Amino acid sequence: GVRRDLDGRRVMVTAGPTVEPIDPVRYISNRSSGKTGYAIARAAALRGADVTLVSGPVSLPAPEGVRVVRVRTAHEMLEAAEEAFRDADIAVFAAAVADMRPRAVSDRKLKKSLDGDELGAIELVENPDILATLAARKDRQVVVGFAAETNDVVPNAEAKLAAKRADFVVANQVGEGMAFGTDDNAVWFVDAEEVEELPRMPKSRLADEILDKAVQFLR
Ligand code: C5P
């Protein structure tokens, strides 16, 4: 049977990409499918939690019994996550937030080189780090971060753990045919004490492994 070990607990999950508009027809985004975050939200609800899923644009159905707050930009995601984080016992940051956004959004379609070269000179600014911003304010919240890396996966995850004040980081290797959009994943759990390597498994089972680990940090 299903464990109800999250009965009475509040869980917040960010998931999917963010989309940063350039002009009325273009945007900056990434290849995140949202599958991992959605799987975690679904698993948490099945385990009895009150779940808020702050989701960028994805083509996945809302998990049953989960409150979904739909956002587009990193700024909208930060705002929605801020509110959900305040009451959360566990906060999982699975979103692939766009690193940069255009400094200004044009209200008309920008021109390419042939007729004005406005696209070649789009000024980009860095988006807020949602995980780092909220983890800096944590009191009871268990904070779970992700690190998708092409190389030096565990050292990079260790650096993120410290820099962002997460309780643990779920690290995985990305690249050709790995992680993004797939239904399974092989990860490492990195916390201040140890590095644990997990075998490749479906994202649905990985979701429960992540929640098992988070439960150990509940105060
Ligand atoms: O992009 P990066 O590798 O730094 O992401 C690591 C973690 O930080 C992930 O959990 C991601 O959801 C989170 N993050 C965030 N806001 C950002 C960038 C990353 O919450 N702007």
Side-chain angles (χ1 to χ4, degrees), residues 4 37 39 46 49 85 95 112 135 139 147 200 207 212:
R4 300 284 298 188
L46 286 170
F85 184 80
K112 56 178 177 278
D139 40 69
R200 179 167 291 278
D212 288 350

Side-chain angles (χ1 to χ4, degrees), residues 1 5 14 17 46 54 56 67 73 81 96 122 127 134 169 172 192 197 215:
D5 58 347
T14 70
L46 286 170
V54 180
R67 181 182 315 105
T73 66
I122 299 170
N127 268 330
L134 298 185
V169 168
N172 69 278
E197 185 173 3
V215 162

Side-chain angles (χ1 to χ4, degrees), residues 93 95 97 99 128-131 145-146 160 164:
F93 296 85
V97 182
D99 296 302
D129 192 307
I130 298 167
L131 162 52
F146 280 74
K160 268 173 226 229
K164 303 201 188 200

Side-chain angles (χ1 to χ4, degrees), residues 68-105:
V68 183
V69 182
R70 294 182 192 283
V71 298
R72 286 170 308 136
T73 66
H75 267 281
E76 289 171 9
M77 185 172 277
L78 174 60
E79 224 169 87
E82 235 165 6
E83 194 179 324
F85 184 80
R86 252 179 256 130
D87 299 322
D89 299 294
I90 297 172
V92 182
F93 296 85
V97 182
D99 296 302
M100 311 293 284
R101 70 174 183 283
R103 179 181 293 283
V105 182

Side-chain angles (χ1 to χ4, degrees), residues 106-195:
S106 174
D107 54 16
R108 57 169 186 81
K109 190 180 169 192
L110 295 179
K111 300 295 186 192
K112 56 178 177 278
S113 56
L114 202 65
D115 40 23
D117 199 17
E118 294 169 318
L119 278 177
I122 299 170
E123 208 183 328
L124 299 179
V125 294
E126 205 166 333
N127 268 330
D129 192 307
I130 298 167
L131 162 52
T133 303
L134 298 185
R137 303 175 195 162
K138 77 178 173 194
D139 40 69
R140 76 190 169 285
Q141 295 90 343
V142 177
V143 173
V144 184
F146 280 74
E149 303 287 343
T150 54
N151 55 283
D152 302 311
V153 179
V154 169
N156 276 312
E158 283 169 336
K160 268 173 226 229
L161 178 79
K164 303 201 188 200
R165 294 197 63 211
D167 290 290
F168 69 97
V169 168
V170 181
N172 69 278
Q173 184 142 9
V174 291
E176 204 67 13
M178 280 188 290
F180 275 141
T182 60
D183 290 317
D184 57 10
N185 208 352
V187 306
W188 292 260
F189 286 162
V190 178
D191 69 22
E193 317 277 77
E194 58 178 9
V195 176

